[in-house]
Amino acid sequence: MRDVLERLAAGELSVAAAEAELAGYATTDAGRFDAARETRRGVPEAVLAEGKTPAEVGALAATAVETAGRALVTRADGERRAAVRAAMAEEHPDADVRVDERARVVVAHAPAFEPPALDATVGLVSGGTSDAAALGEADAVATEMGARTERVEDVGVASIARLLDRVDGLRACDVVVVAAGREGALPTVVAGLLDAPVIGLPVSTGYGHGGRGEAAMLGMLQSCTVLSAVNVDAGFVAGAQAGLIARRIAAAREG
Amino acid sequence: MRDVLERLAAGELSVAAAEAELAGYATTDAGRFDAARETRRGVPEAVLAEGKTPAEVGALAATAVETAGRALVTRADGERRAAVRAAMAEEHPDADVRVDERARVVVAHAPAFEPPALDATVGLVSGGTSDAAALGEADAVATEMGARTERVEDVGVASIARLLDRVDGLRACDVVVVAAGREGALPTVVAGLLDAPVIGLPVSTGYGHGGRGEAAMLGMLQSCTVLSAVNVDAGFVAGAQAGLIARRIAAAREG
Amino acid sequence: MRDVLERLAAGELSVAAAEAELAGYATTDAGRFDAARETRRGVPEAVLAEGKTPAEVGALAATAVETAGRALVTRADGERRAAVRAAMAEEHPDADVRVDERARVVVAHAPAFEPPALDATVGLVSGGTSDAAALGEADAVATEMGARTERVEDVGVASIARLLDRVDGLRACDVVVVAAGREGALPTVVAGLLDAPVIGLPVSTGYGHGGRGEAAMLGMLQSCTVLSAVNVDAGFVAGAQAGLIARRIAAAREG
Amino acid sequence: MRDVLERLAAGELSVAAAEAELAGYATTDAGRFDAARETRRGVPEAVLAEGKTPAEVGALAATAVETAGRALVTRADGERRAAVRAAMAEEHPDADVRVDERARVVVAHAPAFEPPALDATVGLVSGGTSDAAALGEADAVATEMGARTERVEDVGVASIARLLDRVDGLRACDVVVVAAGREGALPTVVAGLLDAPVIGLPVSTGYGHGGRGEAAMLGMLQSCTVLSAVNVDAGFVAGAQAGLIARRIAAAREG
Amino acid sequence: MRDVLERLAAGELSVAAAEAELAGYATTDAGRFDAARETRRGVPEAVLAEGKTPAEVGALAATAVETAGRALVTRADGERRAAVRAAMAEEHPDADVRVDERARVVVAHAPAFEPPALDATVGLVSGGTSDAAALGEADAVATEMGARTERVEDVGVASIARLLDRVDGLRACDVVVVAAGREGALPTVVAGLLDAPVIGLPVSTGYGHGGRGEAAMLGMLQSCTVLSAVNVDAGFVAGAQAGLIARRIAAAREG
Amino acid sequence: MRDVLERLAAGELSVAAAEAELAGYATTDAGRFDAARETRRGVPEAVLAEGKTPAEVGALAATAVETAGRALVTRADGERRAAVRAAMAEEHPDADVRVDERARVVVAHAPAFEPPALDATVGLVSGGTSDAAALGEADAVATEMGARTERVEDVGVASIARLLDRVDGLRACDVVVVAAGREGALPTVVAGLLDAPVIGLPVSTGYGHGGRGEAAMLGMLQSCTVLSAVNVDAGFVAGAQAGLIARRIAAAREG
Amino acid sequence: MRDVLERLAAGELSVAAAEAELAGYATTDAGRFDAARETRRGVPEAVLAEGKTPAEVGALAATAVETAGRALVTRADGERRAAVRAAMAEEHPDADVRVDERARVVVAHAPAFEPPALDATVGLVSGGTSDAAALGEADAVATEMGARTERVEDVGVASIARLLDRVDGLRACDVVVVAAGREGALPTVVAGLLDAPVIGLPVSTGYGHGGRGEAAMLGMLQSCTVLSAVNVDAGFVAGAQAGLIARRIAAAREG
Amino acid sequence: MRDVLERLAAGELSVAAAEAELAGYATTDAGRFDAARETRRGVPEAVLAEGKTPAEVGALAATAVETAGRALVTRADGERRAAVRAAMAEEHPDADVRVDERARVVVAHAPAFEPPALDATVGLVSGGTSDAAALGEADAVATEMGARTERVEDVGVASIARLLDRVDGLRACDVVVVAAGREGALPTVVAGLLDAPVIGLPVSTGYGHGGRGEAAMLGMLQSCTVLSAVNVDAGFVAGAQAGLIARRIAAAREG
């Protein structure tokens, strides 16, 4: 602890970074950013933009870069993505900022941040363009955890031939996240074609009775092929669970 | 009416048959058998064995043969199937009685009964042996309505190749009933491969959360391919709806 | 494939149309339009306007006309209907554009598009003005598939005499879609009066407990007359399923 | 109170009857019989046989006759009906005991009991034989409250003509209870044909999704005709509510 | 019919009034106003303002006055109430227009309209100010049907003494509507204190789990006192059902 | 630990008691009895008889007496109550065994067991005889925790006067458990009459829609008076929570 | 009563205060403020700002201060908090007004108001910043009832070590409210570590399936440690129930 | 294929084994055993005993040993376990048969069967003895897939210290299955303490509202730590998913 305090006194550490090292989290007016969790499982601590003001999202993202070297902002609409860009331009002008509009994700890396790199691949499959946001969120977190990702999109169960054409591209994957809305059958079909573990990601793209993802969620829980599932629209959780599996596999590869 | 009464007086008609012609239904101690419905849409009036005593089932089946020339008994366990056989042996010893144990169905035809014959084919598809009872019920009613039936079983979505191998056998069908439990995805996949209308038949073969057919039911209602559905385990309804479509098509073929 | 490429090189085919023929779908900034599905079952690939920006809806409709010769836009409010008109005026000024405000549907045909014509009639029944949007959607898709349609509206079960007055008009129909909200009993009553197959279309016009279409949906699944059903407000699916049945019947009539 | 105690001391009153007059209820080993409620609204205090042992049912019925002059036993299977008969034979051999097997109801009157008689009629309508138990329960309680009852059965919405044939018989009724299972549409149709108040009684005779009376219950709550409803299988409540209305009307007739 | 046409030709009847007499309803650009229903049961045909534009509400109200002599507009917010006033000022300047803001109801009577008057009283009880809208809707319809009404408000079960103080005012009522949100216990308690029939009206004033009226609805269906219920927030239905009962009682009083 | 082992070696301690002291629980063939929990909060560790064989229940009860000096067996039917008696007769013949049949509870105390005694009173209120089992379970656990208990039964909201007559008996209670089935309104009414904290205990005594305690549960969660609740039929939890509050109050009284 | 009227006539009492003393509540244009409830159980009568206009909230708060000496306004967003401040500035400029933005609560005390002070402490625990609003509401009401409060925040079950570090701070509490969203496990873990009674407060901070607080609510009802619960987001109820317990304990301490 | 037929003709292969090689499954009177699935993903094809007769279970187990060299029978009660033993004694007397009563699992290996062995460990954690059946099922399938397993039981969240004492034993695991009933919080807490992927297995051991595993299921889907989940009581699926992950890790270790 003395070391941290000395570096803070010497101006080598910001107050937020010192607080993060000592208390495990940094406090800002916009809330608290919990850097400690990240070190435990390698899962980046995301800033969930939904339900926060643009100013809060920008401030939390800046704190994240300051204390963890990286920010991962999820469920950010255009206004909140702009707020993150602005906060970065002001407080971390040399950060590397990438935006994925379809996934509604912003990632920012401080120049000194060294992203992890795992020798393992996460497959990401979806049935339609409406599943792109959830799948992109999964992609972003798995990528930030260091996994390679391989995407296969628009292969819904209503056009089974198109799926069969593209399934070979998934055979090299170590774990596969499959997103699906409506009746949610795609993970079942994909898991029947592969021998890697499959994580089902139900998406709230249905309509009418059971249309807020309930049908897809139940369909994955009832799957007649072995798979596990996450909650509706939980792209972050699916990607992070895939990332945890990839970390174990990469560690095994490294011996 | 006078004609009916004269034939009754002359002993050409039983009391039950006379009542059926005049009132539209025949009354027995075991309940009422509604023969009139059958003539309206060609859908045989079934005796639902579940929830009735074996004696009631036997009595109603005998009344059905007497008034409609035919009995179709559904959801009959071993004891009730035996009761129907016994009732037939006693009251209609010359009836043609066929039993389908897997489908839990008994069909009896009086010697004079002329079954309809339609120039149209109903396809019947299922994913597993646990769907056999519901599918068999659908088969029985479609057959009694005069349709040819074509069955393709054990082609679940977890083994998509096996389904693709057998789908050609369905291309000649005019309408297809697809039964599925668990996640209920099979009708969606089949409808994506055929151009005939598909009727989804959800089956209560799941388990845990959503396992009494809710997942399958919702999956069919949310299907991303065009299809219509019936209630959970409603094999009779699915088969009869397919039969009604087959009747229209056969009539069109006859010109 | 060479033929397609030669026609593209010769300027006889647009890039989008060429992509549609080769890949089965055309990509636009507004998303993907999947023309291949249309050829499989004759069901037009609709542009669902709900949840898309007016610009996206306009762009997808234009792409649809370009690649499939036709656009069917559903669930379009005033702003989105205007966007489709504007996109047509600019990109396909000679297209035939028809708008049904009650049904919230826009249909556009390229001059060269030859709509199918089937010798079969789809009946369309509803109980009240609040069911008009769902029924109109069903009407549009059945019409686009080439069926004749016959509408009988405002014949709710609360005024049974009015329904009986008008049921004769439905006797010539080959298949009947019946839309109903609230308690959803109309398909049951109609199916009891006709011998054509009936497709129940529950509508979300109820209120309070069970009022988002659940009561109507359950009522149709529990119907004591034979019928099949589609999801709540799924006018497109009901119309397309009726269209598939009409196609079979028309084909049989043609011999 | 002194009067009661004097009559008890004089042997003119049993202990149970004295307790009932003083405390409002009588205690037995089988539980408590609450006679006071009966006097408030004229609704007989029923002994619900379901969930009690035959001995308890018999004992409670005997106490009811002793303290209230009458017993109304509901939901009694064969064994419990026999127990009531036996208890009556032993303790109130001169009571008038009537059993309705279909309704699963036993009614016993002490010789001195003077049943009420109201100048008002309760109509009782049902769609099928499976609704008979609930309807019979309603009939029994309305009858015990003194109303005349008029039954019209087997007039389901699937055979609307049969209902129309018989609706005239209901026009003289002051209030009508309509029982229905499955989709529960019958009360809506009946209320559209009559000007008396209608009470919907949903029955748990459906199957699959929504089949434990939920569809019927929701259908009545969503009815597009004015009516009120009671809970699933609550024949007693429906009959008693009709009886309360009949009491008011009869009182008005008497001036 | 000839008579109607002659009066139309002679200018004694508007087109809408003629259409209403002949077809049972009048068509306007804003939809259809169904005058015939009103004559059947005496229940006024209401214009439900919710979900319609102010212009549509105004037009329908004007049509109602023209064809039925009266308009009853329910669930009208400020803008829609103003639209009704404006429509009346323009088309029926001599109509008697009354507005109840709390109940969100507007009633308009043409000068020639003779409101019914029944010798019967409907009680109206509620537990809190949040139940006022639903109760006011019930009051309006019962009043329009001719019943006298008697209101007792702010007597929730949490303050049972206040209810007991005021219950005597209800003893003269012939039928009582009791509105309650939250746990919905008030109808049960009130029915235990009165001998008139009670109609429970659940209100969506709860919060959290079960808070959209489900708890109140279920509470009334499970009531341990005899009563019937209507759907959540269905003030119109509760008032109309009470009105139907009042009509029967008043008719009996008249002999 | 050494002390425990020496007492075990010296035969002063049974193996089970030694295991309980060292590991916190004792293992038997019938499962594990967790004595440590009891010392933490003073809540006796109950043996839940439901779902266990009579032999298992007897063995666990004997182990409880051996390791904790006391056994509290809940939800025990006649056969399981007999098994506990038999196990006690054999293994702890000098234990004090008390059985409450209505509550389905057996309590056994070893001769050396000194039950706690708290200077605090728990009130226990219910509306009907069907709530007696749940209330008795609450009574047993509160009593075993040392609280005095005061019961007021048969005071349902349908007979509000009877409740008011008896509420004074509750004014001295420090905390009150109120059990109710059906619509579950009793805790709300009682809490409105008292100033002690009230714990709602919903009971599964309803029927039909919402009848497995859902209506009562939701009613307590929606209560318009301040109270907290436990799960359906959770008499043990309600009694123990009341006991914990009584412990705090008694400790405060002792200063 | 005469005394109140004399003081009113003498100008010593406002009309509202006089009405409050006589009728138990004061009527304003904005609704009714029920001062009598407060005196019964010591629970302050809160003004629920949600669903009221800013003007109504301001007026009710002013009436509360006038009649009860204090206002507690809950669920007040920025606009409504400003309205309360403004109303106080105008009508009670000398009131002590405190605002808690996170809790969305405003408290105002008239100068003469003497807040209660209890010798008892309520613990308040939460897992994350998103639970702060509900917990703050609980804190405000417990504080207004006179209890000391002790808060422990950001100790979610995902970081169990942080919770264990801080649990000692809770050991002196007499009763503990634990707020939790998502899976709602925190109250269970906390109750396993303390011997004070625990009240679970589920918060609607989840997402997807079960995300509106259902998972947290069910988790607390199923807790394997003894605790009671309140409805989702019912911070007021949790705090008031804790306050009632604290009142009893403080009274016991005072002897 | 010729090779298979020649071996069959030569008596080297049974008919069932030949059918299994050619068709992918073997047919018996008791149903179909699908050996092909096993080879795809290494997941043994289990015989689900629940819902089958003892004779069917025995026959299917014998067929499994004959065609796949191994049988894994799940959810087998005593009678069905005995039937498997008997079938083995008769048809495969030299098979190695192991029974796990708590897990309700029977495993049989033919002498020639070489079980796989993976260099990877699956952790298995549960909170109470009632979770043992589901956890044992997971253990059996993971073991049959070749993984080492490590069990940590009786570490519920109500006794967090006991869990912390034992968590170190899980640090070497590559993937961890955590079973929990009631509120289902254990997987969340465990995942917060480990860096291996965690699979939540909800168990139906709750009671009352949400007690058939819904609370546990929702709790895992809402977990505030990263994890994926399977359906209620789906021990087989959880174990197989863990086995698939272990297979990938072991393969990586082998390089």
Side-chain angles (χ1 to χ4, degrees), chain D residues 91-115:
Chain D
E91 303 201 25
H92 302 284
D94 51 355
D96 175 24
V97 182
R98 274 156 300 161
V99 176
D100 181 338
E101 290 195 8
R102 277 211 314 165
R104 302 194 299 151
V105 162
V106 186
V107 172
H109 287 184
F113 180 75
E114 285 177 36

Side-chain angles (χ1 to χ4, degrees), chain H residues 87-112:
Chain H
M88 289 300 143
E90 183 161 339
E91 303 201 25
H92 302 282
D94 50 357
D96 176 25
V97 182
R98 274 157 301 162
V99 175
D100 181 338
E101 289 195 8
R102 278 212 312 166
R104 302 194 299 153
V105 162
V106 186
V107 171
H109 288 185

Side-chain angles (χ1 to χ4, degrees), chain C residues 187-244:
Chain C
T188 294
V189 176
V190 169
L193 294 166
L194 298 176
D195 64 353
V198 167
I199 298 165
L201 168 55
V203 179
S204 61
T205 53
Y207 68 99
H209 211 46
R212 278 181 291 195
E214 297 96 333
M217 178 88 249
L218 291 179
M220 296 182 196
L221 292 174
Q222 292 289 347
S223 172
C224 49
T225 324
V226 169
L227 52 83
S228 61
V230 298
N231 205 340
V232 175
D233 293 333
F236 180 87
V237 180
Q241 177 81 336
L244 288 171

Side-chain angles (χ1 to χ4, degrees), chain E residues 24-58:
Chain E
Y25 52 79
T27 313
T28 77
D29 285 352
R32 195 166 324 220
F33 179 78
D34 192 336
R37 282 200 219 173
E38 187 152 344
T39 58
R40 273 198 301 273
R41 303 183 95 194
V43 180
E45 183 74 8
V47 175
L48 175 70
E50 216 167 53
K52 297 199 178 73
T53 66
E56 288 171 345
V57 174

Side-chain angles (χ1 to χ4, degrees), chain E residues 125-211:
Chain E
V125 183
S126 79
T129 52
S130 50
D131 307 326
L135 199 72
E137 202 177 293
D139 196 345
V141 69
T143 300
E144 286 302 302
M145 291 178 75
R148 290 183 301 267
T149 62
E150 175 75 31
R151 282 171 84 149
V152 173
E153 296 186 83
D154 283 289
V155 290
V157 293
S159 307
I160 209 76
R162 200 182 294 167
L163 167 61
L164 295 178
D165 285 353
R166 302 197 54 194
V167 79
D168 281 337
L170 294 167
R171 296 212 191 278
C173 295
D174 294 295
V175 54
V176 181
V177 172
V178 186
R182 305 294 289 264
E183 81 293 312
L186 189 58
T188 294
V189 176
V190 169
L193 295 166
L194 298 175
D195 64 351
V198 167
I199 298 165
L201 167 54
V203 179
S204 60
T205 53
Y207 67 100
H209 210 47

